[in-house]
Amino acid sequence: MDLTEFQTLARDIRTEIGAVVQGQDKLIDMLLISIFARGHVLLEGPPGTAKTLVARCLAQVVDLDFGRVQFTPDLMPGDVLGVNLFSFETNEFRLTKGPVFTDILLADEINRAPPKTQSALLQAMNEREVTIDGKNHPLGDDFFIVATQNPIEQHGTYPLPEAQLDRFLFKILVDFPDRDTEIDILRTIAALPLSADSGRTSLRKVMDRPTLHAGHALVDSIRLDDTILTYIVDLIRATRSDGDIQHGASTRVASALAGAVRAKAALDGRDYAIPDDVQALLIPAMRHRLVLGPGAEIEGHTTDDVLRTVINRTDAPR
């Protein structure tokens, strides 16, 4: 696969998903970067902003197995990973696999589950395998999580621990579409029967597993110039000395960001990265990994505000 074919593939995926999910073009682009950079994604936004719908549509256009877990306060780790059950027919224990044994997993409202259940995903996200009763079970190199959470409702929710947040490549903030787009959405819905479900629309499969692997290979072939690598490191180190940040970014963040930059360059039809790629991805890659100091919170600064300041203060390569 060359860059032209890769761009054509991405355009086809955008077109198919965009036929159902309107007004979320940036979200679709970030999901494409994530799946080709092999990183999990956390979507945060109010209800009704197509977070679940876009994950379902992505699974339809990509010919991979899809599973969904609706996280609730009473969800147990075994409900996600699976359990060994005794079979009286064979007189031995047999693994009943949980929904985590799939390619694309939608973890819906992940912050509703207690910490014990949230932590069950840590190994799956980091190592792409799970351990059940002391035995390791691989999930495959294509394992990809799209998690959603609602930032408005706090009753009955459990904040994700920093260790788990660090496993997500991006935290993407999903907002409402603009007025004209909302009118177009309603116009489309008004033309359908009331019983219709837009999420059940049959979308064309445009990418199978071999094509996904070819895309991965193309992204792997993108090499970053030393000036880009130095720029990423300088930005990461700047977060550790910023007075508004209590805990800065780690080397793991730098590595994840570098991989995402390679994917973005390929999707833009380039075999090289530019500083704009780094700047475009820095905030979604780091907003969930930093801990602000008390002074920044008192002054009402958000993580995004602080990261924009870091970008402005750090010299970009020319």
Side-chain angles (χ1 to χ4, degrees):
M1 178 181 291
D2 58 23
L3 286 170
T4 301
E5 294 171 331
F6 189 64
Q7 282 191 293
T8 301
L9 173 65
R11 185 177 63 250
D12 290 343
I13 294 175
R14 292 188 190 101
T15 300
E16 286 298 312
I17 299 178
V20 176
V21 182
Q22 297 173 268
Q24 298 291 0
D25 294 344
K26 185 176 180 180
L27 169 59
I28 297 171
D29 285 343
M30 294 299 290
L31 284 174
L32 283 174
I33 293 173
S34 302
I35 198 168
F36 285 114
R38 304 177 182 93
H40 311 293
V41 179
L42 177 62
L43 308 182
E44 181 178 283
T49 49
K51 301 186 298 297
T52 301
L53 178 60
V54 73
R56 287 164 54 183
C57 291
L58 176 66
Q60 287 189 46
V61 300
V62 179
D63 193 12
L64 299 175
D65 294 333
F66 175 71
R68 176 184 177 184
V69 180
Q70 182 67 49
F71 281 74
T72 58
D74 60 347
L75 195 72
M76 300 298 292
D79 298 328
V80 179
L81 304 183
V83 293
N84 282 311
L85 298 177
F86 186 77
S87 172
F88 289 98
E89 295 180 359
T90 60
N91 205 32
E92 61 182 6
F93 284 93
R94 179 178 299 172
L95 175 63
T96 300
K97 294 182 178 181
V100 75
F101 285 88
T102 188
D103 293 316
I104 299 178
L105 177 67
L106 171 59
D108 220 353
E109 295 187 294
I110 190 173
N111 58 330
R112 285 197 173 277
K116 184 176 182 179
T117 304
Q118 292 177 2
S119 65
L121 287 176
L122 277 174
Q123 182 185 14
M125 296 175 68
N126 195 49
E127 303 171 25
R128 286 181 166 81
E129 67 177 21
V130 295
T131 302
I132 302 174
D133 293 341
K135 184 177 180 181
N136 293 339
H137 301 272
L139 300 175
D141 294 336
D142 301 328
F143 180 68
F144 175 65
I145 286 183
V146 180
T148 71
Q149 66 177 11
N150 176 5
I152 300 175
E153 191 173 359
Q154 300 300 323
H155 181 68
T157 61
Y158 303 83
L160 296 179
E162 284 76 9
Q164 185 156 19
L165 287 171
D166 196 37
R167 265 63 176 186
F168 287 102
L169 173 60
F170 294 134
K171 178 181 177 180
I172 304 172
L173 304 182
V174 186
D175 204 354
F176 296 108
D178 58 42
R179 179 177 179 272
D180 291 339
T181 301
E182 284 195 285
I183 293 174
D184 289 338
I185 292 172
L186 291 185
R187 186 178 292 118
T188 300
I189 294 174
L192 300 173
L194 292 178
S195 60
D197 181 359
S198 60
R200 300 297 179 184
T201 303
S202 179
L203 299 181
R204 180 172 61 94
K205 302 283 187 184
V206 297
M207 182 168 70
D208 55 13
R209 198 179 303 273
T211 306
L212 174 62
H213 293 171
H216 286 161
L218 177 66
V219 171
D220 290 343
S221 70
I222 304 296
R223 292 290 174 258
L224 299 184
D225 186 85
D226 279 350
T227 58
I228 298 296
L229 295 176
T230 301
Y231 185 43
I232 292 174
V233 171
D234 288 343
L235 287 167
I236 296 297
R237 294 179 66 86
T239 65
R240 302 172 190 165
S241 58
D242 192 286
D244 288 333
I245 301 175
Q246 187 172 351
H247 297 292
S250 67
T251 307
R252 183 193 306 198
V253 185
S255 177
L257 179 58
V261 166
R262 294 164 75 181
K264 185 179 185 305
L267 286 167
D268 288 346
R270 290 180 276 106
D271 60 359
Y272 59 91
I274 59 178
D276 288 350
D277 297 331
V278 180
Q279 295 171 6
L281 300 180
L282 180 74
I283 293 178
M286 294 179 60
R287 60 162 56 107
H288 54 298
R289 291 178 160 110
L290 303 183
V291 178
L292 296 184
E297 294 180 348
I298 291 173
E299 294 178 6
H301 294 165
T302 66
T303 306
D304 288 16
D305 295 333
V306 174
L307 285 171
R308 290 189 191 97
T309 301
V310 169
I311 293 174
N312 292 333
R313 290 178 178 173
T314 305
D315 293 334
R318 301 183 182 277

